[in-house]
Amino acid sequence: MSTYKITPLCLGYITRPKKNFFEDYTGTEIEPFPINAFYLTDGVHKLLVDNGGCPVDYERGKGAQPYTRTEDQVIDAALEKIGVDINDIEAILFTHLHWDHAYNTHLFPKSTRLICQKKELESLDDPDEPSNKIGYVKEYIKLFKYELVDGDAEIFPGVSVVYTPGHTIGCQSIIVDTEEGPVIIAGDLIPLQCSWYNDPPKGNGLCYNELSRENMHKSMEKLRKISSKILTGHDNGVFGPGMGMK
């Protein structure tokens, strides 16, 4: 069985109220949170989970202020910093297609596989879907051709996706086999590790309606049956000892 090494990448910072990222949180802190991506390799395959946000001076970047990104936090430079050529990335597995997770696809070769949930892409054209009203730059997303996964699937030996709606209707989490066992990369279903390790566990503070919240809780229960080890979309802890996992 293939086992992978996971390397977190910081692709900028967004400053937000902590309660946005932590369900039912009552504190008032406003903090800079990283935009995280993850490089995966088993020594053969070179994979990426998410690819970061748009340039700060783009219209969407201006609309997302406070948002910062330095030159070395652009995905090609971030990969180069760890000795990886962007042209060698075989596939990008998107947790979802929001602007801060999927806006650097144009920097990759056309041969790079782009993998997301079928429901995530198709929901963008659904006028009745509440989760598609904000967060997406639809005209950018539609420039590219994606491999659509319908539900749970193994993508490579040792790397699978599981359908985990909540933050968006088409969210997926990535399950990575490592030497320490399976690790979940949850994107924004659970933006902060501290909410996952809370008692009881909490998810994203931003849900679009009650169905979204219900879906999030079901997805969290699904993930808890797989592993307790989790990497999230906006937590500084992933850059610390043990990548913040318990």
Side-chain angles (χ1 to χ4, degrees), residues 213-225:
R213 184 182 292 265
E214 181 181 332
N215 284 339
M216 178 177 71
H217 290 159
K218 289 180 179 178
S219 294
M220 290 171 65
E221 283 301 311
K222 181 177 183 178
L223 293 180
R224 287 178 68 80
K225 294 176 182 177

Side-chain angles (χ1 to χ4, degrees), residues 139-151:
E139 62 273 20
Y140 179 82
I141 293 169
K142 293 179 180 181
L143 292 174
F144 308 99
K145 184 175 178 59
Y146 301 84
E147 292 183 29
L148 303 181
V149 181
D150 192 3

Side-chain angles (χ1 to χ4, degrees), residues 10-14 33-36 67-70 73:
C10 178
L11 304 182
Y13 284 88
I14 50 176
F33 294 96
I35 295 172
N36 295 336
Y67 164 48
T68 63
R69 185 181 75 168
T70 60
Q73 291 171 335

Side-chain angles (χ1 to χ4, degrees), residues 65-232:
Q65 294 296 324
Y67 164 48
T68 63
R69 185 181 75 168
T70 60
E71 288 186 6
D72 64 349
Q73 291 171 335
V74 182
I75 187 60
D76 54 351
L79 286 169
E80 183 179 4
K81 191 173 181 180
I82 62 170
V84 179
D85 188 325
I86 193 171
N87 296 299
D88 293 335
I89 297 296
E90 185 175 347
I92 307 170
L93 294 84
F94 292 105
T95 59
H96 62 302
L97 296 174
H98 276 174
W99 73 272
D100 53 333
H101 293 259
Y103 206 110
N104 290 286
T105 307
H106 62 284
L107 298 176
F108 293 80
K110 290 183 179 179
S111 59
T112 305
R113 297 169 62 188
L114 310 176
I115 299 168
C116 71
Q117 284 289 321
K118 179 180 180 183
K119 190 165 287 188
E120 177 75 353
L121 192 66
E122 291 183 348
S123 72
L124 299 184
D125 293 321
D126 182 352
D128 299 321
E129 173 51 50
S131 72
N132 71 14
K133 302 299 184 286
I134 60 173
Y136 296 101
V137 183
K138 297 180 183 180
E139 62 273 20
Y140 179 82
I141 293 169
K142 293 179 180 181
L143 292 174
F144 308 99
K145 184 175 178 59
Y146 301 84
E147 292 183 29
L148 303 181
V149 181
D150 192 3
D152 304 351
E154 182 180 70
I155 307 301
F156 296 90
V159 176
S160 299
V161 300
V162 294
Y163 176 51
T164 50
H167 180 57
T168 72
I169 194 64
C171 271
Q172 64 180 6
S173 297
I174 318 305
I175 312 300
V176 185
D177 289 338
T178 73
E179 290 184 351
E180 292 76 33
V183 170
I184 301 163
I185 302 177
D188 284 358
L189 177 75
I190 305 154
L192 303 181
Q193 289 170 310
C194 58
S195 69
W196 173 255
Y197 294 121
N198 188 71
D199 185 14
K202 298 290 184 178
N204 199 317
L206 296 177
C207 293
Y208 301 95
N209 55 24
E210 282 307 308
L211 178 60
S212 172
R213 184 182 292 265
E214 181 181 332
N215 284 339
M216 178 177 71
H217 290 159
K218 289 180 179 178
S219 294
M220 290 171 65
E221 283 301 311
K222 181 177 183 178
L223 293 180
R224 287 178 68 80
K225 294 176 182 177
I226 297 172
S227 180
S228 65
K229 298 181 183 296
I230 197 163
L231 299 171
T232 60

